Amino acid sequence: MLSLTVLSLLILVFMAVGLYSKSADILKENSVWTLLTSSAWSPFNGQFGFWSFIVSSIYVTLLSLIIALPISLLTALFLTEKAKPWIKKAVFPVLDILAGIPSVVYGLWGILIIVPWIANSLGPHFVDYTSGYTLLAGGIVLSVMIIPLLVSLFVEIFSTVPSEIKDASASLGATPWQTSRKVVVRKALPGIIASTVLAVSKAFGETLAVLMVCGNMVEIPRSLFDSAYPLPALIANNYGEMLSLPKYESALMFAALVMFVIILIFNTVARIVLHKVEEKFTL
Amino acid sequence: MSLKKSFRPGYKFVRQSEGAELEVRNLNVHIKNNHILKNVNLVLPDKKITCIIGPSGCGKTTLLKTMNRLIDSVEGVRIDGGILLNNENIVGSGEKIINLRRKIGLVSQKPCPLPMSIFDNVAYGCRIHGIRNRRKLRMIVQYYLEAVGLWDEVSNRLNTPAARLSVGQQQRLCLARSLAVEPQFILADEATSALDPISSRNVEELFVKLKQDYSIIMVTHTLHQAKRIADHVVFMYLGEIIEAGPANEIFTNPQHQLTKEYLSGAFN
């Protein structure tokens, strides 16, 4: 048992070491700082700047979270606090199905519905021209993908909030909405944070769907209606395709390493926040 | 530790507990197909401690929950008859429920502090009823924490989570929280059963002190407790009120056979 546990920890180390050694080639010629902060991307000239990819990735993930979090929170609150049993019975299987749909289907749905909608209906209100393959499309598709996950996690967490606490709040004259907002959400906050971390990791690493709808132009997106090129899409699009170029494989490995490190940092920070929150409210 | 102090917190709603009345008339409560309360009639005296006694499952808790309408959230519940608070029927009137709960506070069996600081717990109800002024809130919090004898123990850590208090302290905190919205009646559902003997005695003494300002309705499982603090006693059995009256009469001279048996410890 212990050895298996150690093994799964070692996998993490092996991955980090593997990615690092593979990207050593490019690190020899460029400093980490230039690779990360330059946005000059011209593999034919040996220029590899990852800034626009990193920014794209972060933007798409953040956007999906901004869309998905309020929707999921309110849905989960409704399902646990207010919904009649038959509604719950109808909704949960649908959520499971949504969570199980392959991401390529979400991508196709994005191309067929979201992209034309942005290009023809939404975009013209804000910008002169947009192809529809945009940061916004990526954010929307990703949010639709993580909402089922978030809702089922939140429902699970909200239903662990003891009814005595809700009764106590109600018997002081709080309306159900006040009780949900001030007591249920607060009690569930550590769980909400933990689930959000999970969702962010999923959204950040999601490849296929964003690759299909984001437009994949190497530029720093200036608005929601610009196209974006997140890191996973870069790797998936080019690995195996353009490896004849010198250093290209190494550059892609470095991209993977960057993702790896970002997720690692994010998880660590989230853990610290979680610890602080738990300390503040419960113990 | 008297509630009659030199100042009253400058409160928005002044308590009008003079002659407050709570009367239960022909109350019947069904939950799904179970007839939980059967034709309950009861007048609850003002500024007295009324103890509701009876074996488990006789409907004591249901009666309390009907009085502040917490019963509404139970699935499949049907209420007939009336509960009159100051001559106003509180059963069935949907929009008054929040006002009602301000007038009838509940202290539950297990203390359940809200997931926030000690200060915020006491201030919670006041904030909900629209008091935002920090100074006023501070005054109210101090006043009611003093009233339940908790101020000296917690005054230097008001911002720590309430869950860190001991169970006995938590129960007194919950009482302070209920008092802070200035109710006329306090419903206590076995409020001491989760406490150790000393904290339990503290809370009991507190109730006795509080009755000069509040009417207290208490469900209890321990006859000794009822004997110690009750002014009035209501004996319930299988959803019906068997006997009700002044405590010394019931305890010294019960009229009904079931009451006699219960008091002598023949069942339970």
Side-chain angles (χ1 to χ4, degrees):
Chain A
M1 295 288 260
L2 178 69
S3 54
L4 287 177
T5 317
V6 171
L7 185 69
S8 55
L9 285 175
L10 279 180
I11 289 175
L12 194 75
V13 177
F14 284 146
M15 272 177 92
V17 171
L19 287 174
Y20 181 75
S21 63
K22 282 277 190 181
S23 49
D25 225 9
I26 195 169
L27 286 169
K28 248 186 283 175
E29 285 174 29
N30 306 283
S31 76
V32 177
W33 184 250
T34 11
L35 285 175
L36 290 180
T37 56
S38 151
S39 52
W41 181 260
S42 168
F44 292 98
N45 304 324
Q47 280 188 310
F48 299 99
F50 287 94
W51 183 236
S52 55
F53 301 101
I54 296 171
V55 169
S56 291
S57 262
I58 291 174
Y59 279 180
V60 169
T61 308
L62 268 184
L63 186 61
S64 71
L65 208 62
I66 290 170
I67 301 171
L69 255 189
I71 296 176
S72 316
L73 271 177
L74 292 175
T75 309
L77 271 181
F78 170 75
L79 285 174
T80 37
E81 304 297 320
K82 263 201 122 79
K84 299 254 176 350
W86 68 266
I87 298 181
K88 285 190 208 174
K89 265 186 206 155
V91 169
F92 286 131
V94 175
L95 285 178
D96 287 344
I97 293 170
L98 279 177
I101 293 176
S103 56
V104 65
V105 178
Y106 280 106
L108 280 176
W109 169 78
I111 291 175
L112 289 177
I113 311 280
I114 300 296
V115 169
W117 176 68
I118 291 173
N120 304 326
S121 307
L122 189 67
H125 292 294
F126 297 96
V127 287
D128 294 337
Y129 169 77
T130 173
S131 65
Y133 290 92
T134 53
L135 181 62
L136 181 62
I140 292 175
V141 170
L142 266 187
S143 70
V144 172
M145 292 179 72
I146 59 175
I147 281 173
L149 173 77
L150 279 178
V151 170
S152 45
L153 285 172
F154 286 164
V155 165
E156 206 68 38
I157 291 156
F158 288 152
S159 38
T160 62
V161 175
S163 62
E164 288 90 8
I165 290 186
K166 297 180 209 163
D167 282 356
S169 167
S171 64
L172 291 167
T175 60
W177 172 235
Q178 284 169 326
T179 302
S180 300
R181 228 177 51 216
K182 300 187 173 183
V183 174
V184 177
V185 170
R186 202 151 180 181
K187 181 85 184 169
L189 199 58
I192 292 174
I193 293 174
S195 335
T196 309
V197 172
L198 245 155
V200 166
S201 305
K202 185 182 152 118
F204 189 76
E206 171 52 41
T207 310
L208 208 51
V210 290
L211 177 153
M212 290 166 82
V213 298
C214 275
N216 302 341
M217 309 253 284
V218 187
E219 56 179 23
I220 297 175
R222 302 269 165 219
S223 84
L224 291 176
F225 299 100
D226 284 347
S227 66
Y229 205 164
L231 283 166
L234 169 75
I235 299 169
N237 262 346
N238 297 305
Y239 197 82
E241 293 279 319
M242 320 239 298
L243 296 186
S244 53
L245 286 175
K247 309 245 168 43
Y248 207 102
E249 187 185 6
S250 178
L252 292 181
M253 284 301 166
F254 182 73
L257 184 65
V258 169
M259 286 185 64
F260 187 85
V261 171
I262 290 179
I263 283 293
L264 214 64
I265 292 172
F266 175 72
N267 267 283
T268 315
V269 171
R271 268 190 185 278
I272 294 167
V273 171
L274 195 61
H275 186 73
K276 289 262 180 271
V277 166
E278 272 176 345
E279 209 170 50
K280 189 154 179 228
F281 290 141
T282 51
L283 292 167
Chain B
M1 190 187 65
S2 165
L3 274 176
K4 302 280 184 213
K5 293 195 25 156
S6 54
F7 72 91
R8 299 278 304 166
Y11 222 164
K12 201 159 101 188
F13 4 91
V14 179
R15 261 175 7 96
Q16 301 161 326
S17 65
E18 303 307 322
E21 262 175 44
L22 193 59
E23 188 182 344
V24 183
R25 271 191 206 158
N26 297 326
L27 184 73
N28 281 282
V29 173
H30 297 256
I31 295 176
K32 284 175 183 156
N33 289 325
N34 299 327
H35 199 169
I36 309 282
L37 292 180
K38 296 166 191 161
N39 218 19
V40 171
N41 281 290
L42 192 61
V43 177
L44 293 150
D46 186 31
K47 299 205 176 138
K48 293 272 191 296
I49 296 179
T50 305
C51 278
I52 304 177
I53 56 172
S56 303
C58 69
K60 305 183 295 275
T61 301
T62 309
L63 180 59
L64 280 197
K65 285 196 166 180
T66 315
M67 284 177 182
N68 81 343
R69 300 275 302 272
L70 265 187
I71 193 98
D72 287 22
S73 59
V74 176
E75 220 173 286
V77 72
R78 203 180 85 231
I79 308 168
D80 306 305
I83 296 178
L84 280 78
L85 176 66
N86 306 331
N87 291 321
E88 241 180 290
N89 193 356
I90 59 174
V91 170
S93 57
E95 69 278 16
K96 289 185 193 139
I97 197 159
I98 280 149
N99 265 328
L100 161 74
R101 285 180 180 157
R102 214 180 67 206
K103 289 181 191 150
I104 304 186
L106 180 84
V107 181
S108 64
Q109 181 173 3
K110 249 178 38 201
C112 48
L114 300 170
M116 45 189 84
S117 70
I118 296 171
F119 183 94
D120 288 341
N121 257 279
V122 184
Y124 183 81
C126 309
R127 286 197 173 121
I128 278 189
H129 296 301
I131 298 177
R132 298 257 165 246
N133 185 321
R134 286 284 306 175
R135 266 189 59 221
K136 208 182 223 180
L137 282 174
R138 211 190 296 273
M139 229 155 83
I140 293 168
V141 169
Q142 177 170 1
Y143 183 85
Y144 287 104
L145 283 176
E146 278 175 0
V148 299
L150 205 57
W151 178 252
D152 295 337
E153 293 162 53
V154 302
S155 59
N156 55 351
R157 48 175 176 149
L158 288 174
N159 289 320
T160 55
R164 282 192 203 154
L165 296 173
S166 75
V167 183
Q169 289 173 323
Q170 284 182 15
Q171 191 63 306
R172 279 183 285 156
L173 178 73
C174 291
L175 188 56
R177 187 178 66 192
S178 302
L179 295 180
V181 296
E182 309 222 309
Q184 298 175 332
F185 290 86
I186 297 168
L187 309 177
D189 188 359
E190 295 186 50
T192 59
S193 68
L195 308 183
D196 61 90
I198 292 169
S199 334
S200 162
R201 188 58 73 97
N202 280 342
V203 172
E204 258 177 41
E205 282 169 5
L206 193 55
F207 278 131
V208 175
K209 277 178 187 141
L210 287 172
K211 76 176 176 184
Q212 55 180 312
D213 277 305
Y214 302 86
S215 311
I216 295 161
I217 300 153
M218 201 173 167
V219 162
T220 179
H221 259 118
T222 44
L223 279 175
H224 291 294
Q225 185 175 53
K227 279 178 190 160
R228 276 196 300 269
I229 64 174
D231 299 307
H232 283 250
V233 172
V234 177
F235 173 61
M236 289 182 74
Y237 184 66
L238 296 178
E240 283 176 279
I241 290 185
I242 306 295
E243 206 171 336
N248 49 358
E249 278 179 31
I250 301 253
F251 285 128
T252 52
N253 187 20
Q255 300 298 309
H256 202 282
Q257 185 58 32
L258 278 168
T259 321
K260 280 179 198 160
E261 282 175 26
Y262 182 75
L263 291 178
S264 66
F267 54 103
N268 205 0

